[in-house]
Amino acid sequence: MRLLLFTLFSLLSQSGYSQHTGATTPVDSLIIVLLSLFSLAAAGLYFLSQAKNKKLIARTDGLINAQHRINKELANKSHLASEALEQQRLCESNLEAIKSQTTATFNALPSAVFVVNNKGAIQSLNRKAELIFKVSKYKALNKSLFILLPCFKPIENIIRYEQTNYGKTQLEFTYKRHIFSANIIPLKDIPDTWLIYVCEKHVESHSYSDNLHDSAMGESQCSHNAIQHEKLASLGEMAAGLAHEINNPLSAILNNLQNIHRRTSPALEANRIAAEETGLDLETLRHYLTSREVDHFFENAKEATKQAMVIVANVLNFAHSGKNTKGPENVNTLIDTILDIEHRSRHAVSSRESNPFDHKIKRSLRAKHDICLCSPPEIQQVILNLIKNSIQACEGINKSADILVSTDNTHTHFVIKIKDNGPGVEKEKLTNIFKPFYTTKRIGEGTGLGLSISYLIITDHHNGDISAYNNTGDGMTITIQLPLMSE
């Protein structure tokens, strides 16, 4: 290109000379030819550069689109990964809660329980087994039950050679002047694993301090109540799972109600723009919603949804706080929460089923100092058990319950009193009501475990005290004392 320009310049110089002479020379003709060629070359270069630019632009657009697709796929995969991690976290949390609940239920059983393999090695034992047989759980694990406690030696062959008919094998033996009945049950869902459920059949002393000892009972009663405990634990887990499932749609309903309120508000510029595009007058819409009380309906729906979410949260706290870890707690607040749950649960049942009774539960939580070192789910379980017992006692004599739950203080203890207007308990039976499987109800109406578990929770787990007495008029009062935390 440079050579062509140099040649053209030289020829133009010669052409200037020829113009002075006024004659057309071959040089002029050559210049014209070269100018034409130059124009053609320039045009070719222009079109070539335009074609290259179009290809470059098309390639750039392709790369940008590909980048957008990659970013979108990465965002989707990141979202899926986040969801998967959240699901994993929830599963781990639920598993931990179920494990804690199962352990708490296992340890709350009022009889000794051992889990052994087919060689007799101890896989697990509950707190009652530790207390009765004076063995430490951590020292006993993987040790032979028959060597550690020779009183179980007669069942060695039964376990080793599976000589049992699924829970129909029973052994009676004596240990430290106490007579025990052991039910040997193979666990069908766990191969080579056996459950030994030990009930005390005779206690030498029946003083009040021995209330936690097992009552005399046969094989069928032991097995039946163990099954009932498992059912209760399963129901608790199921209730927690259902509460989780209910909470998600409640959150969606509340969010949608809030979005409807926001998107019909004239205060938001985006709403005004969208309304103008569709020819809608937002002020007129707001006037209509107000005059027809639609806003009022929305507020009612929001409040009802929030109330339902509070109920679900309370149920989850009660069911999931099953780790039974102790900490400083406001016991007045714990009682208030469980009374709300009981009230809503009872009224929900009453709205579905015909109920001739009009039970009333009043509260007078006057204790000024209510900080105790305690396990919230266990304390709430005790309160709930006692209230249900009072209601059932009143219904047993065709009477509506009138229950007062009150709190107060001594210098050292937080005091809870639950007073009812039921039939009370005969004086000679009053000292038996905290014994396991003892019940004043008709057969099939109770397991006799509610008060014994409540006794175990208050006295053994919280170093407190629980007692009962008949009122002067009618009914009875149960008093719970929990040690206050020192300030």
Side-chain angles (χ1 to χ4, degrees):
M1 181 61 73
R2 290 180 180 176
L3 180 60
L4 180 61
L5 290 173
F6 177 75
T7 304
L8 182 60
F9 178 75
S10 301
L11 292 173
L12 284 172
S13 301
Q14 296 178 19
S15 173
Y17 173 77
S18 64
Q19 287 176 2
H20 289 291
T21 62
T24 300
T25 64
V27 173
D28 293 330
S29 301
L30 183 58
I31 289 172
I32 293 170
V33 171
L34 288 174
L35 284 172
S36 299
L37 290 173
F38 182 76
S39 298
L40 290 172
L45 288 173
Y46 173 76
F47 287 116
L48 182 62
S49 65
Q50 286 294 101
K52 287 184 177 180
N53 285 340
K54 286 182 179 179
K55 288 182 179 179
L56 183 60
I57 290 170
R59 184 177 297 176
T60 303
D61 289 342
L63 290 173
I64 291 172
N65 290 334
Q67 184 65 41
H68 285 165
R69 287 195 302 273
I70 291 170
N71 289 342
K72 188 175 180 180
E73 289 178 4
L74 287 174
N76 288 336
K77 289 180 179 179
S78 176
H79 179 67
L80 291 173
S82 298
E83 286 186 344
L85 287 172
E86 180 63 18
Q87 289 295 327
Q88 181 181 353
R89 187 189 66 78
L90 286 174
C91 288
E92 289 174 352
S93 176
N94 289 337
L95 285 174
E96 183 62 30
I98 291 170
K99 180 182 176 182
S100 298
Q101 289 175 344
T102 304
T103 302
T105 303
F106 186 57
N107 282 325
L109 287 171
S111 295
V113 180
F114 293 91
V115 179
V116 300
N117 62 18
N118 60 348
K119 294 182 179 178
I122 299 172
Q123 307 299 300
S124 183
L125 66 156
N126 70 347
R127 188 176 290 117
K128 191 67 174 181
E130 293 183 84
L131 292 173
I132 291 177
F133 296 101
K134 309 299 180 186
V135 292
S136 166
K137 178 177 180 179
Y138 299 103
K139 290 182 180 180
L141 289 179
N142 297 318
K143 299 289 186 359
S144 171
L145 174 66
F146 315 122
I147 296 175
L148 192 66
L149 296 169
C151 57
F152 287 98
K153 189 72 174 175
I155 67 171
E156 182 174 6
N157 288 337
I158 295 173
I159 290 177
R160 285 185 181 275
Y161 304 108
E162 301 186 7
Q163 296 175 354
T164 184
N165 186 21
Y166 294 104
K168 298 300 181 184
T169 301
Q170 186 176 9
L171 167 73
E172 288 191 5
F173 62 92
T174 302
Y175 180 78
K176 292 187 177 179
R177 294 186 300 171
H178 294 265
I179 301 173
F180 293 91
S181 172
N183 288 286
I184 302 99
I185 307 168
L187 300 180
K188 296 180 183 179
D189 296 332
I190 308 177
D192 302 327
T193 305
W194 300 71
L195 184 143
I196 303 172
Y197 192 87
V198 184
C199 304
E200 187 172 353
K201 297 198 71 176
H202 174 73
V203 182
E204 205 168 49
S205 170
H206 289 285
S207 66
Y208 187 77
S209 62
D210 293 327
N211 277 336
L212 288 181
H213 287 163
D214 293 320
S215 300
M217 58 181 295
E219 167 203 353
S220 61
Q221 183 72 5
C222 283
S223 302
H224 171 75
N225 285 288
I227 291 168
Q228 294 303 315
H229 259 71
E230 293 301 324
K231 285 182 180 178
L232 289 173
S234 299
L235 285 173
E237 294 166 14
M238 185 172 65
L242 288 174
H244 270 300
E245 294 301 322
I246 292 170
N247 208 32
N248 293 331
L250 285 176
S251 299
I253 291 170
L254 184 60
N255 288 335
N256 287 333
L257 288 171
Q258 290 170 341
N259 283 332
I260 291 171
H261 178 74
R262 281 196 297 268
R263 296 192 182 191
T264 56
S265 171
L268 294 179
E269 184 180 358
N271 293 346
R272 296 196 298 273
I273 294 171
E276 289 174 4
E277 291 175 353
T278 57
L280 176 66
D281 186 350
L282 279 180
E283 295 296 341
T284 303
L285 175 62
R286 293 305 307 169
H287 178 70
Y288 170 79
L289 295 176
T290 303
S291 64
R292 294 294 294 160
E293 296 186 344
V294 176
D295 284 342
H296 180 64
F297 296 149
F298 275 133
E299 287 303 317
N300 285 347
K302 284 168 61 177
E303 288 305 314
T305 305
K306 289 178 181 178
Q307 193 176 24
M309 292 177 75
V310 169
I311 295 170
V312 169
N314 285 340
V315 171
L316 282 173
N317 287 337
F318 179 58
H320 259 212
S321 45
K323 294 183 179 180
N324 291 328
T325 53
K326 292 181 184 177
E329 301 289 344
N330 297 89
V331 186
N332 276 337
T333 303
L334 298 180
I335 296 173
D336 219 23
T337 300
I338 197 61
L339 290 181
D340 285 341
I341 292 175
E342 192 282 333
H343 174 78
R344 297 181 192 282
S345 173
R346 181 161 41 84
H347 279 264
V349 172
S350 298
S351 64
R352 296 193 306 269
E353 302 173 1
S354 175
N355 191 336
F357 301 105
D358 182 23
H359 302 307
K360 291 182 174 62
I361 300 178
K362 302 170 186 174
R363 60 189 86 178
S364 175
L365 310 181
R366 298 180 301 174
K368 294 181 180 179
H369 305 288
D370 68 336
I371 306 297
C372 298
L373 186 66
C374 64
S375 165
E378 290 190 337
I379 297 301
Q380 290 177 323
Q381 179 186 356
V382 169
I383 302 300
L384 194 59
N385 282 347
L386 298 178
I387 289 173
K388 288 188 178 297
N389 277 353
S390 293
I391 289 175
Q392 289 171 357
C394 290
E395 290 181 351
I397 56 173
N398 293 319
K399 186 177 184 180
S400 295
D402 190 357
I403 301 170
L404 174 64
V405 180
S406 62
T407 63
D408 209 339
N409 290 124
T410 66
H411 292 299
T412 56
H413 285 78
F414 179 85
V415 182
I416 308 167
K417 290 188 177 182
I418 299 176
K419 179 181 179 181
D420 65 38
N421 62 331
V425 178
E426 296 175 19
K427 186 176 180 180
E428 60 272 15
K429 296 180 179 178
L430 201 56
T431 56
N432 294 325
I433 64 173
F434 294 111
K435 289 183 179 179
F437 307 114
Y438 180 85
T439 178
T440 58
K441 300 170 188 174
R442 291 190 295 270
I443 295 174
E445 290 186 356
T447 60
L449 290 172
L451 288 177
S452 65
I453 291 175
S454 298
Y455 184 93
L456 178 70
I457 288 172
I458 296 300
T459 59
D460 188 50
H461 296 189
H462 291 84
N463 296 319
D465 185 58
I466 182 170
S467 59
Y469 61 87
N470 288 317
N471 302 330
T472 304
D474 56 0
M476 68 181 298
T477 299
I478 291 183
T479 303
I480 298 170
Q481 296 189 64
L482 297 172
L484 286 167
M485 287 191 68
S486 55
E487 297 181 358

